[in-house]
Amino acid sequence: MVKFSKRSKWLIGLGFALLVLTALMNIGFIAIDDYACIIEKIIPAQNLTFNQVIAERDIRSPFAPLVLLGVTKLGWYLGIQDPAWQFRFLSLLVGFFSYSAFSWVGIRLFKENNRKIEWFLFLSGFYFLSPVFFSRILIESLSMPFITLSCWFAQHYWERTDRKSLGLSLLFLVLASMFRFQAGICFVGIFFLVALKRDFPELLVFVLMAIMGFLITGALDYLLTGAFHGSLFTYVGYNLKYSSGFGVTPFYTFLLVFLGLSLPPSLIGRYCGLSWRREFAGLIAPVLYISVFLFAHSIVPHKEERFVIPILQLFLILLVPFLAFIAADNPRSWRLKWFVGLNLILLPLACFNIAQNNVISLVRFLHTNPNIKNIVGVEETFVLYTKAFLLKPPKLIKLSVEDVEQLRGLDCDVLIAIRRDYEKQLNQFLKFHTKLVEFSPGPLEEFVIKFNPKQNIRRGTIALYSDPKCVSRF
């Protein structure tokens, strides 16, 4: 039985409260894929069916959107009609599960040391990326708690040679891979743990368990797609053919990502006196999982920073011994002050900055004005039209700058959406129309626009214009 210090109890409670606030206040999503492959398939729940999700599947398995649609439909049955609140309901439940699973694992890993538990709970609740990624409806985030649980049971198997733990480790890893196929590579980490035991009968049992898991998941996919592991083979085939053209970066990309996530130079040091064997003997499974995952992802040409999210929780677990050692050696260390201080500065920016805020806020404005029947987007103003957040979305019409420049006498059920970079090309249009409202990106998105405008201009401010006679109606 773990005895929590008063500080630990506060960290658990406040961490959970911050997670709830993040889930309810931040309905942003990270990438366009998140919207196209997940969000528009699960909200509005009342307008979607499970058969529709299966029929309109992409190269990924329909398993994830089917599960998530089940949750949003539950919210709808409970009386949540607004798709944005269905999304919040889902984010809250996903975040609660991820936070709970992570806390359960970490507390058991560090149960012998209150100082380590306190640092772990700080990372679970107040590491600047924890609340936002724990609660995101993102394939990588959805697989994360299952990888963490799998890793815990693998560690438990290593310490006690408990076959039940070995089976549970495989089970949770199978669930993780059903959300994100690449999570399955951690199977190699479990294999190493079993092989290091040098127990051939146990290794044979493990292989049979793994084959059974492969057959069961293949059969499930057959029921959904009509082919044994049809989703997996389609996904692998697509990536072999096209992924090398998506975002090829050096093999050390993810090492640099994790270096940045450690908030340097706070944890860079010699650690004289640290007993590496003693500190990490109880963390051999997280070390193996992370090593295998990073190696496999590093040799693939296509790399994006979000690909490491599934092992983010394991990475935070490995930070705990370093933080606890520095704190024991010098509680007033500038390294700790820098790490904690920078986290607390970044935390509200990460938690409450709504990604894709320009289009999400725009469609929420349309939600409150159902009299709007048509929305005209100038050129590429709408790289993404997030109509899933609307029960009855207006029809989107795309026009060129030249065509919009000629518009006059618009009906009051028509609005023109213009991204800021197009406004300077519409001198005549702006003279005869009135700006109703504009929707700006959050501070983090403002930064990335200025840092890399070519890739992020779609996140820029969007304004809505109408005929002057219609202004009083809004």
Short mmCIF file of all heavy atoms in Angstrom, two decimals, residues 7 43 229 287 384 448 464:
data_model
loop_
_atom_site.label_atom_id
_atom_site.label_comp_id
_atom_site.label_asym_id
_atom_site.label_seq_id
_atom_site.Cartn_x
_atom_site.Cartn_y
_atom_site.Cartn_z
N ARG A 7 2.00 16.53 -0.17
CA ARG A 7 2.32 17.15 -1.46
C ARG A 7 1.85 16.27 -2.61
O ARG A 7 1.32 16.78 -3.62
CB ARG A 7 3.82 17.38 -1.56
CG ARG A 7 4.27 18.04 -2.86
CD ARG A 7 5.77 18.23 -2.89
NE ARG A 7 6.21 19.12 -1.84
CZ ARG A 7 7.50 19.35 -1.56
NH1 ARG A 7 8.44 18.72 -2.25
NH2 ARG A 7 7.83 20.18 -0.59
N ILE A 43 -18.15 13.08 -34.82
CA ILE A 43 -19.09 14.14 -34.46
C ILE A 43 -19.60 14.79 -35.75
O ILE A 43 -18.87 14.87 -36.74
CB ILE A 43 -18.48 15.22 -33.53
CG1 ILE A 43 -17.24 15.87 -34.17
CG2 ILE A 43 -18.17 14.64 -32.18
CD1 ILE A 43 -16.72 17.07 -33.39
N HIS A 229 -6.36 -8.87 -41.65
CA HIS A 229 -5.42 -7.75 -41.46
C HIS A 229 -5.40 -6.84 -42.69
O HIS A 229 -4.34 -6.30 -43.07
CB HIS A 229 -4.01 -8.24 -41.12
CG HIS A 229 -3.80 -8.56 -39.68
ND1 HIS A 229 -3.97 -7.61 -38.68
CD2 HIS A 229 -3.46 -9.71 -39.04
CE1 HIS A 229 -3.73 -8.17 -37.51
NE2 HIS A 229 -3.43 -9.44 -37.69
N VAL A 287 13.03 1.29 -20.63
CA VAL A 287 14.24 1.51 -21.42
C VAL A 287 14.18 0.72 -22.73
O VAL A 287 14.50 1.24 -23.81
CB VAL A 287 15.50 1.13 -20.61
CG1 VAL A 287 16.74 1.12 -21.50
CG2 VAL A 287 15.70 2.10 -19.45
N LEU A 384 -8.98 23.76 -44.50
CA LEU A 384 -9.78 22.79 -43.77
C LEU A 384 -11.06 23.48 -43.30
O LEU A 384 -11.01 24.51 -42.63
CB LEU A 384 -8.99 22.28 -42.56
CG LEU A 384 -9.54 21.06 -41.83
CD1 LEU A 384 -9.54 19.85 -42.74
CD2 LEU A 384 -8.70 20.78 -40.60
N VAL A 448 4.47 30.19 -34.79
CA VAL A 448 4.89 29.30 -35.87
C VAL A 448 4.61 29.92 -37.24
O VAL A 448 5.32 29.64 -38.20
CB VAL A 448 4.22 27.91 -35.75
CG1 VAL A 448 4.61 27.22 -34.46
CG2 VAL A 448 2.72 27.98 -35.89
N LEU A 464 -14.69 37.45 -41.42
CA LEU A 464 -15.96 37.26 -42.12
C LEU A 464 -16.52 38.61 -42.52
O LEU A 464 -16.59 39.53 -41.70
CB LEU A 464 -16.96 36.52 -41.22
CG LEU A 464 -16.71 35.04 -40.98
CD1 LEU A 464 -17.78 34.48 -40.05
CD2 LEU A 464 -16.69 34.26 -42.29
#
